Amino acid sequence: MPRLPRLDHIASPHLRDLVRLAHTHDFDRVQEQVRHLRGCTQPVNLHGWSITTDPATKEVVRSYRSEDEPSGRLLTTCGNRRATRCPACSRLYAADTYHLIKAGLAGGKNVPETVRTHPRAFVTLTAPSFGPVHNQPGNNRPCACGTHHTDDAPALGTPLAPASYDYTGAVLWNAHAGQLWARFTLYLRRALAAHLGLTQKALNASLRVSFAKVAEYQKRGLVHFHAVIRFDGPEGHTTPPPPWATLDALQAAVATAVERAHLTVTSPAFGERVIAWGSRFTVDPITALADGELTDAKVAGYIAKYATKSAENTGTVDRTLLCRHCNGNGRQTGPSGLPAYCDPCDGTGQAEPVTALPVQRHVRQMIRTAWNLGHLPELAHLNLWKWAHMLGFRGHFSTKSRAYSTTLGALRDVRRTWRQAQADTARTRAGHPTPDPTTLVTQSAWTYLATGYTPGEELLAAQTRHNITQKHQDAQRAKTEGEVWN
């Protein structure tokens, strides 16, 4: 075995820590733990134990202690869905979302394939205008400012007249977008019943409306929603909808629901504001044909892509601005037990000054507006100071109705079962009997230690990410070359 260099001769902290890991009694296990995370950027560090026993035979089927690891801790994936936070975990989340959406369109995952014969539409709902912005009108026309903007022009989405732009209305719309979607689904069923000449009770007894939606930020900093809306029978995707539940009826109902769904917000600071949808919306049929514009796979891929996005499309920061010391109220308890101004944020409640953020003026103004609105007593329930970095949006990025298809939890259970089956197979090959999994009892105790890698583990993780990326590129290249030859 080659002699390893002395730690005090290595200047780089990453290399020094890597050599330290190589000196451990089981460096192979260190590498195995990191590879198992598949490039996770912020793994969770745990300390504890787990033991699985068979009550019938009192046999210990599986046991694990983090103390037995070379590093004395267990590393697990962070599971963050955001691509900006953890590309590795977000890819897994996107894959699960893809299968969830695809199952509701083409069947699979305990959903019958007959579901693709149900009326289905891809619906896009947008926010209204809060002032003219720089855009790309199309048809080779210039923007209202007289410029033909490129796709990556920084001015896109920013106001033409910032002084007259309704920032308060924009932030309030983002803050209530989730509630507006819930109101839309309610009015959609009402509009559908009225269009078909049925009572609400009769409609619910013969038809179920299922949906799955995802939020996407526009350049102007406002969210809009993409949704799959599907007609099912009264029992859900296992039963066909009645003949009169057509795509035309769905299109008419969406138009009515968009017009009628609204919320009203009142405050002495800005008066009365009506939160409503914009006039631009689309209702496009989803086809099962491979050459269609909106196929099952394309729609599933589109929604899965945006399920891992955040507000980065607007140029905002991907971190909360809330001061952790005072929880955003600008005060914390002093040494005498009396309230005192929070020194880390100078009593403002902000973790860092808005003026110091590396963002455009338009985004900075939306953040400042959200922060100021969040401290109005009548809007305290919105917690807008917590969501200022999200420009006020505080809803879930992706949601679905209960009967749309499978669930993310069910997909994770399938993966867990597959891994357990692999372990049982290895146990059988080793000559041990396979116990009945329904009778096993697992006990465990875990403690959170920290988040992240040591410097040396980070080098190993970087190599893992490189190998995964290289493998993906090779697969894409082989696929492209195969298509060319065919």
Side-chain angles (χ1 to χ4, degrees):
M1 179 177 179
R3 183 178 179 85
L4 296 171
R6 289 171 50 187
L7 296 182
D8 55 355
H9 288 177
I10 302 176
S12 169
H14 290 78
L15 290 178
R16 187 183 305 118
D17 188 59
L18 184 61
V19 172
R20 179 189 64 81
L21 293 174
H23 276 92
T24 59
H25 67 277
D26 193 353
F27 184 52
D28 289 340
R29 173 55 187 166
V30 173
Q31 297 181 88
E32 181 185 0
Q33 263 214 96
V34 175
R35 282 197 303 267
H36 182 70
L37 299 174
R38 298 189 61 79
C40 176
T41 56
Q42 291 293 322
V44 179
N45 297 208
L46 299 175
H47 180 270
W49 56 269
S50 174
I51 182 170
T52 301
T53 58
D54 188 344
T57 62
K58 307 299 181 182
E59 178 191 7
V60 176
V61 179
R62 289 182 296 273
S63 65
Y64 175 86
R65 295 192 316 162
S66 60
E67 295 176 355
D68 296 333
E69 296 288 355
S71 62
R73 73 203 201 286
L74 171 67
L75 299 180
T76 63
T77 55
C78 66
N80 199 307
R81 68 159 188 87
R82 299 185 183 182
T84 55
R85 291 293 182 89
C86 184
C89 291
S90 70
R91 281 194 296 268
L92 184 60
Y93 185 90
D96 284 347
T97 302
Y98 175 85
H99 289 297
L100 184 150
I101 300 298
K102 182 78 178 299
L105 293 173
K109 312 297 180 183
N110 298 323
V111 179
E113 294 184 1
T114 54
V115 75
R116 64 173 52 193
T117 63
H118 298 193
R120 309 161 302 164
F122 188 59
V123 178
T124 300
L125 305 177
T126 62
S129 173
F130 297 98
V133 298
H134 293 273
N135 60 6
Q136 297 169 300
N139 297 326
N140 203 30
R141 290 184 296 143
C143 174
C145 68
T147 303
H148 286 86
H149 296 296
T150 59
D151 292 341
D152 57 351
L156 286 176
T158 61
L160 290 169
S164 60
Y165 192 80
D166 185 9
Y167 281 101
T168 297
V171 171
L172 287 174
W173 197 94
N174 273 351
H176 293 87
Q179 294 175 256
L180 188 61
W181 166 260
R183 188 68 60 90
F184 166 79
T185 59
L186 177 65
Y187 275 91
L188 178 66
R189 294 177 175 90
R190 293 179 180 177
L192 189 61
H195 178 78
L196 297 172
L198 300 171
T199 64
Q200 192 73 42
K201 183 177 181 180
L203 179 72
N204 294 337
S206 54
L207 180 69
R208 174 174 288 186
V209 182
S210 300
F211 66 85
K213 73 111 169 77
V214 67
E216 178 192 358
Y217 275 88
Q218 295 175 306
K219 290 283 189 180
R220 54 178 177 155
L222 293 165
V223 295
H224 64 286
F225 294 120
H226 301 292
V228 173
I229 300 181
R230 189 188 68 215
F231 283 162
D232 297 325
E235 302 300 324
H237 52 64
T238 58
T239 54
W244 40 261
T246 62
L247 186 62
D248 290 339
L250 175 59
Q251 292 173 329
V254 168
T256 302
V258 166
E259 181 181 354
R260 295 182 179 178
H262 65 274
L263 302 165
T264 302
V265 182
T266 305
S267 169
F270 52 76
E272 183 178 280
R273 296 297 182 101
V274 176
I275 310 298
W277 297 107
S279 58
R280 293 185 178 181
F281 67 92
T282 59
V283 185
D284 299 313
I286 300 174
T287 177
L289 301 177
D291 57 348
E293 289 189 17
L294 287 174
T295 62
D296 301 338
K298 288 180 180 179
V299 171
Y302 194 81
I303 291 183
K305 172 186 175 182
Y306 285 104
T308 62
K309 299 293 183 181
S310 188
E312 63 268 18
N313 191 45
T314 66
T316 186
V317 292
D318 189 23
R319 61 185 182 275
T320 180
L321 305 178
L322 187 69
C323 176
R324 297 181 179 179
H325 298 276
C326 66
N327 200 30
N329 59 19
R331 293 179 179 273
Q332 64 178 170
T333 304
S336 62
L338 299 176
Y341 279 114
C342 178
D343 292 334
C345 65
D346 299 325
T348 63
Q350 296 176 351
E352 53 189 312
V354 174
T355 54
L357 296 176
V359 296
Q360 290 185 344
R361 183 174 65 174
H362 173 59
V363 174
R364 182 177 291 111
Q365 186 57 44
M366 288 198 72
I367 292 175
R368 182 182 288 112
T369 302
W371 187 268
N372 294 336
L373 290 175
H375 288 82
L376 294 177
E378 59 274 19
L379 298 181
H381 64 285
L382 298 177
N383 294 326
L384 281 175
W385 55 85
K386 180 181 179 181
W387 303 105
H389 68 294
M390 300 292 288
L391 312 185
F393 180 64
R394 58 194 185 93
H396 293 288
F397 267 78
S398 60
T399 60
K400 71 175 189 66
S401 58
R402 183 171 300 177
Y404 174 77
S405 66
T406 184
T407 64
L408 292 176
L411 293 173
R412 293 172 185 137
D413 287 342
V414 170
R415 259 199 315 274
R416 190 179 301 112
T417 301
W418 182 84
R419 289 170 182 164
Q420 190 55 57
Q422 296 293 101
D424 290 340
T425 300
R427 179 181 172 83
T428 302
R429 289 175 179 173
H432 300 290
T434 302
D436 183 1
T438 60
T439 63
L440 299 181
V441 176
T442 300
Q443 295 176 306
S444 61
W446 298 100
T447 302
Y448 170 79
L449 295 177
T451 301
Y453 296 103
T454 66
E457 290 171 340
E458 177 57 45
L459 286 180
L460 298 176
Q463 181 62 46
T464 300
R465 297 188 198 105
H466 172 76
N467 293 341
I468 292 174
T469 301
Q470 189 66 43
K471 185 177 180 180
H472 177 72
Q473 291 176 349
D474 290 344
Q476 289 293 109
R477 190 180 302 110
K479 180 180 178 181
T480 302
E481 291 175 355
E483 291 176 351
V484 170
W485 282 104
N486 291 333

